[in-house]
Structures are given as C-alpha cells and as structure tokens.
Amino acid sequence: MWSQEKAMRVVIIMGSKNDWEIMRHSADTLNEFGVSYLVEVLSAHRTPNELVQFVKNHMSDTGVFIAGAGMAAHLAGAIAAHTVKPVLGVPLSSSPLNGMDSLFSTVQMPAGIPVATFAIGKSGAINAALFAVSILSLSETGLSSKLIYRRVEKAKEILSSYIGDK
Ligand code: RP5
C-alpha cells in the first residue's frame, strides 16, 4: 500500500499482517510529517527469498527501512544483511514472552551488520518513525523544523494536562 504520490522514502516491513495494529503507528507518525512510505508484509523465516528480492528492488528509492516483527524476530537483521541503508527494528509483543524474545532477537546483532533497535511495541513504532524522519532531516531542513514543532506541541499537551496541588 502506498501512502502518498511522492517518491518513496521509508519502507515499513512487518513479519505478519497481524503486526499492523502496532506498526500502523509508524505509518501514522510518518503521515504527520508528510514523509512518504511503502508498507509490505514479508517474513525473514516464512518468505526469506521474497524478502531479499524486495529489499534489493527498493534499495535505490528508500532512505530508511523500518522492520517490525515479533517472536524470533530476525526481520530487521535479515534486511540489514542486504542493504547499507539505515534499518530500524521494532520488536513486537506477539508471544507469551511479551516481546522480550523479539527485543533480544532484534538488538543482538553481530558486529558488522547494524540494526538500530527501538522499544517494544507502540512506543518503538512511533520512535522508529521519528528517527527515520530525523535521518531524512539531515538532507532536508524542513523536516528538522517539523520535528522541533512536534516536540513543542507535545510539551504543551503535557503542561496543559498538569493538575497541580489541590
Ligand atoms: C513474526 O511472528 C511476526 O512478526 C509476528 O509478530 C509473529 C507471529 O506471526 P503470526 O503467526 O501472527 O502471523 O514473524
């Protein structure tokens, strides 16, 4: 599914369609910034050949890959094995181990093949998208201002919800 008609800049890959409930937060966050993205479901274990082909096909038109997966989550690492573009891993809580399994699987990459790993679940999905915007902002100054504006707005929300001493 394509988000917008602009050139694609972020690719979001999930290990299962069941991961969308959480990974949609990455997409929603990118929408806030008008950053275009492509969402695909591909698995490191269930569709290994198609995953590699997809990454190779999208290497040139992608700035950042975001990978969300649960259980023995090798998706981000498998993507990183085939590209030197930044790969941001979001561990998902889809097993009785509550995401600790996917956190360790995603974060414990061997030296040489880096994956930036984020928090388990929704916070990780949002922060991966913000980090993707931050990476893209290195070559696009408009995005830096939007990131600053978002932080100011979030701070206002928190301050306005302060109840204080009664
Ligand atoms: C992982 O296994 C997926 O990322 C998903 O989080 C988990 C379970 O997948 P389903 O059995 O729900 O498709 O590969």
Side-chain angles (χ1 to χ4, degrees):
M1 122 185 49
W2 287 89
S3 62
Q4 297 173 38
E5 302 223 345
K6 291 186 218 160
M8 185 212 334
R9 288 184 285 175
V10 177
V11 162
I12 301 170
I13 307 178
M14 305 172 283
S16 165
K17 66 177 171 26
N18 298 326
D19 297 331
W20 178 241
E21 187 186 339
I22 294 298
M23 293 311 295
R24 72 180 174 80
H25 294 288
S26 288
D28 291 347
T29 305
L30 293 173
N31 281 334
E32 285 180 38
F33 291 87
V35 167
S36 59
Y37 56 85
L38 172 66
V39 181
E40 186 59 271
V41 178
L42 285 166
S43 162
H45 305 121
R46 291 164 169 165
T47 61
N49 297 330
E50 291 83 355
L51 174 66
V52 171
Q53 199 51 57
F54 180 84
V55 171
K56 287 181 178 170
N57 288 347
H58 289 287
M59 207 101 81
S60 61
D61 56 3
T62 302
V64 183
F65 288 87
I66 296 177
M71 303 190 75
H74 298 128
L75 182 60
I79 295 167
H82 295 281
T83 179
V84 294
K85 297 286 175 74
V87 179
L88 315 184
V90 183
L92 300 177
S93 171
S94 50
S95 83
L97 299 183
N98 295 322
M100 291 302 285
D101 42 0
S102 30
L103 173 64
F104 288 148
S105 302
T106 306
V107 80
Q108 284 289 41
M109 289 298 292
I113 308 294
V115 164
T117 304
F118 290 80
I120 298 168
K122 180 180 171 183
S123 291
I126 292 170
N127 278 346
L130 290 173
F131 203 79
V133 175
S134 187
I135 291 168
L136 296 173
S137 79
L138 294 172
S139 53
E140 247 184 273
T141 45
L143 290 177
S144 299
S145 323
K146 288 183 183 177
L147 282 165
I148 293 165
Y149 177 78
R150 188 183 192 276
R151 285 199 185 184
V152 171
E153 290 302 304
K154 291 289 172 193
K156 278 190 204 161
E157 269 176 38
I158 290 167
L159 293 172
S160 68
S161 61
Y162 177 66
I163 295 166
D165 297 329
K166 293 259 174 188

